[in-house]
Amino acid sequence: MSFYDVDNEVKLVQVHLERLGDKQPDGTWTCTFGKFFYDEEVEQIFESLVGSLKAAKRRDLIDFKGQMLLMPVHKDVVITLKTPLGDAPPPHHPKPAK
């Protein structure tokens, strides 16, 4: 049985949005859903990307238009990382299955 750690997944969203995004003058980071979705690391890490993004949005850590993002319809939608992790230690990255 697989264990889904929502807290860890939300932290991973923050880490990868900061890694892939562009820093804004107000301290937020922005990245399109398409860029995030098609990143090789993101593809390998997230079991449920849509669920992880929704959880981060519910916690007011990120923002995007709409309730959920689906490819390819929302590829150009900008995701704003409102609360970057900064210097906090990175969360556990589960090893991809081979």
Side-chain angles (χ1 to χ4, degrees):
M1 176 181 261
S2 178
F3 177 71
Y4 184 75
D5 182 352
V6 178
D7 293 330
N8 191 62
E9 292 280 313
V10 166
K11 287 178 184 174
L12 287 170
V13 167
Q14 291 173 281
V15 166
H16 290 287
L17 281 173
E18 191 168 349
R19 178 179 64 83
L20 295 167
D22 298 312
K23 189 168 185 178
Q24 304 302 305
D26 64 0
T28 63
W29 294 77
T30 59
C31 178
T32 65
F33 178 57
K35 182 177 180 181
F36 194 70
F37 183 89
Y38 287 120
D39 179 73
E40 283 187 33
E41 275 189 67
V42 169
E43 286 179 352
Q44 295 299 315
I45 290 172
F46 291 97
E47 200 170 306
S48 172
L49 180 57
V50 171
S52 299
L53 290 171
K54 285 177 66 176
K57 185 173 182 174
R58 276 194 306 269
R59 294 170 188 212
D60 202 34
L61 301 173
I62 67 170
D63 193 30
F64 54 82
K65 289 184 182 180
Q67 296 296 315
M68 73 170 51
L69 301 173
L70 301 171
M71 285 300 284
V73 177
H74 300 116
K75 68 180 170 62
D76 296 323
V77 172
V78 173
I79 303 170
T80 301
L81 173 61
K82 296 162 64 172
T83 310
L85 282 178
D87 294 330
H92 167 69
H93 286 260
K95 300 243 186 229
K98 292 186 177 185

